[in-house]
Amino acid sequence: MYKLLMSWNIKAGVEQEYFEFVVREFVPGITKLGIQPTEAWYTVYGNRPQILTGGVADSPDAIHKAINSREWKSLEEKLEVYVDDLEKKVVKATGGFQML
């Protein structure tokens, strides 16, 4: 298994809209593209990205195919309306908590 790790910070003043987008569009959208969400972490204290999230697929090729698709680009553009400092990385899944 391979994991897509993502992190970002939510822009001030759009928190409610952000959470609605993530629940209604982003998570269902990445699931449809073959990435199974596994975790989402909200940083309350410290100098780290506010959101850390991960999703798995069977191979790195499956993840790269998903994140290079038109559908992904659309989801990412919508996400960037609500967030700053978006980063993503594909790694071999270890089964434990992983960070960028």
Side-chain angles (χ1 to χ4, degrees):
M1 296 294 282
Y2 285 80
K3 187 178 278 191
L4 172 64
L5 298 174
M6 298 180 66
S7 68
W8 57 74
N9 294 304
I10 304 168
K11 292 179 182 177
V14 297
E15 292 86 353
Q16 183 64 36
E17 295 90 343
Y18 159 80
F19 284 110
E20 288 176 13
F21 165 73
V22 168
V23 170
R24 292 183 183 162
E25 290 186 54
F26 190 74
V27 171
I30 66 169
T31 302
K32 184 178 176 183
L33 289 171
I35 299 172
Q36 182 61 47
T38 55
E39 67 244 329
W41 301 88
Y42 185 89
T43 303
V44 177
Y45 180 79
N47 189 18
R48 290 283 183 202
Q50 191 175 18
I51 302 293
L52 302 169
T53 186
V56 295
D58 292 332
S59 70
D61 290 338
I63 294 174
H64 287 292
K65 181 179 177 183
I67 65 176
N68 289 313
S69 70
R70 256 193 337 254
E71 295 86 355
W72 177 272
K73 300 294 183 201
S74 177
L75 285 170
E76 193 171 70
E77 286 174 8
K78 290 178 184 178
L79 179 63
E80 288 180 328
V81 169
Y82 306 110
V83 306
D84 289 319
D85 309 315
L86 176 63
E87 292 187 31
K88 58 185 177 286
K89 181 178 182 180
V90 178
V91 299
K92 186 163 179 58
T94 63
F97 178 74
Q98 292 174 265
M99 293 179 56
L100 289 174

